[in-house]
Amino acid sequence: MHSRSVHWFRHDLRLRDNQALAAAAEADELIALFVLDDALLEGCRSGAPRVRFLLASLEQLAKDLEARGSRLVVRRGDPASEVARLLDETKADRLCFGRSYAPAALRRDERVRAVATKRGVRVVETRDHVVFESRDVLSQQDRPFAVFTPYRRAWLRAFEAEPQIPLRAPKLPPTPAGVDSLPLPPPPASPIELPVAGEAAAARRLSRFLERSVADYARSRDFPAEDATSRLSPHLRFGTISARSCVHLAREIAAIDPKAAKGANKWIDELLWREFYCAILKENPHVTRSSHRSEYDAIEWNDDEEGFRAWCEGRTGYPIVDAGMRQLATTGWMHNRVRMIAASFLTKDLLVDWRRGEEFFYRSLVDGDPASNNGGWQWAASTGTDAQPYFRIFNPVSQGERFDPAGRYVRRFVPELEDVDDRFVQRPWEAPSPPRDYPAPIVSHHERRIQALRRYEAARERGGRP
Ligand SMILES: Cc1cc2nc3c(=O)[nH]c(=O)nc-3n(C[C@H](O)[C@H](O)[C@H](O)COP(=O)(O)OP(=O)(O)OC[C@H]3O[C@@H](n4cnc5c(N)ncnc54)[C@H](O)[C@@H]3O)c2cc1C
């Protein structure tokens, strides 16, 4: 019997190593669908850099599909209504997609599944966004993990037992005639220069990273002035590369080049943090609104609009924080070490609710991801699972001096510090002649540290943890 399937692209904008696409490609005809959901394009949490990167990735995906005799069918609207309409129009008998894990996406997928099954359409859901899902890696008590180190151990054991070999791109059957598609909308204006989008660009970036940088990754990944990390996060976010391919190739390098093994294994650990936070979000959907550890819901936060604005605009007077926030504004990306320092500063020095920072990051980041962003913020705010202990508070000056000793990073984004001597570049207010056009610190770290400790301790007492 003649078969027809729909592959619904979401955060898997690639042809290679895409199990849902491979399942859909087994049919005689294939409709490769993307639904432009207004929540994605214009929702309160959408941001211009990420929408631009998404549209550029879709443009490239459309070209890649055409080169293989297929095409991208673009529709706009509510995904459940649009999928229902397409299934009615085309009489497709199979709907394939890779599973999502964020609460809003799970609700959406539930509705899409319902419209498909109501029409007697077979739904095929696959594991393409992560290597392992939350229930694939369980503790000895058969529970999902809440702490990273044992999770990592169990993950690696599971991988050894069931090595995940990435798939090749499937041969694509033709698209049925007469299926309408909308043009992609023009991208929103934004002055940010984005990384090159698309599957080929992601693969090139990965090869370059594995050839040039991975060997030294364990040492250099914490130094923001160095170009030492893969910068693959926007690609992993939209699935122009799979985490499976990344782990697979990094393990290959580790096996053939002993000098690169330490760095490659450290890099795999970072990919496992991504998997860990996806699992945490899937199993604990409340983290999108409240603290993972409920005792910290009682923290008294400051209503400090002026401080929040200064933080957003990179005018706190602490160079490493300001450089990070300006890197975010001008590139849509921020180095991981600096994300930790900036998030710590907002929550522990300004005592502003982590949810405000999380939202600001989410809107500003090209790689803004519900699971990793939430996990990173709750880690820095000490409210999350396996988070930074609340009493270990980053000092923005000593963090700067340790990870950017000559001020190469801060000077790149804060030109006001150009002429400040290296010794004072992370504490310019102590320089013999401080730069006139750079603000003095908006708060005293030492005072705020003591206040933060009091607030956290009070919350723990109220929450029943003396
Ligand atoms: C407050 C805060 C917010 C964050 N928000 C996001 C976010 O919205 N989206 C996002 O992808 N990452 C987020 N991260 C994690 C991390 O900062 C970025 O993934 C990393 O900086 C991306 O750069 P890279 O691709 O060069 O990373 P690499 O060092 O090359 O790491 C490879 C990949 O591993 C994953 N990864 C690395 N570190 C982490 C981590 N700590 N947690 C989860 N995954 C990680 C990413 O997918 C990354 O692309 C956040 C971290 C913090 C502290």
Side-chain angles (χ1 to χ4, degrees), residues 50 209 217 221 228-234 236-237 267-275 277 333-344 361-362 365-380:
R50 204 164 49 258
F209 171 72
Y217 180 78
R221 60 183 284 270
T229 67
S230 72
R231 300 275 193 128
L232 277 169
S233 49
L236 284 158
R237 165 67 173 84
W267 192 63
I268 292 173
D269 281 356
E270 297 310 307
L271 290 164
L272 299 202
W273 275 103
R274 174 180 175 275
E275 301 249 322
Y277 285 141
W333 185 85
M334 195 195 298
H335 188 276
N336 180 59
R337 168 62 47 184
V338 191
R339 291 188 205 205
M340 295 195 288
I341 300 169
S344 175
F361 263 37
Y362 193 76
L365 283 166
V366 181
D367 64 26
D369 172 76
S372 295
N373 193 38
N374 185 277
W377 273 95
Q378 294 229 31
W379 182 89

Side-chain angles (χ1 to χ4, degrees), residues 1-52:
M1 212 180 87
H2 189 83
S3 57
R4 208 172 247 188
S5 56
V6 173
H7 173 71
W8 178 24
F9 278 107
R10 296 116 58 87
H11 42 46
D12 59 331
L13 306 181
R14 63 178 181 271
L15 307 186
R16 263 179 285 176
D17 194 32
N18 188 330
Q19 301 182 106
L21 178 66
E26 286 166 8
D28 299 312
E29 287 178 313
L30 165 73
I31 301 129
L33 169 71
F34 190 86
V35 182
L36 293 163
D37 182 350
D38 286 340
L40 214 71
L41 299 181
E42 294 161 2
C44 57
R45 281 170 66 84
S46 72
R50 204 164 49 258
V51 171
R52 268 183 55 204

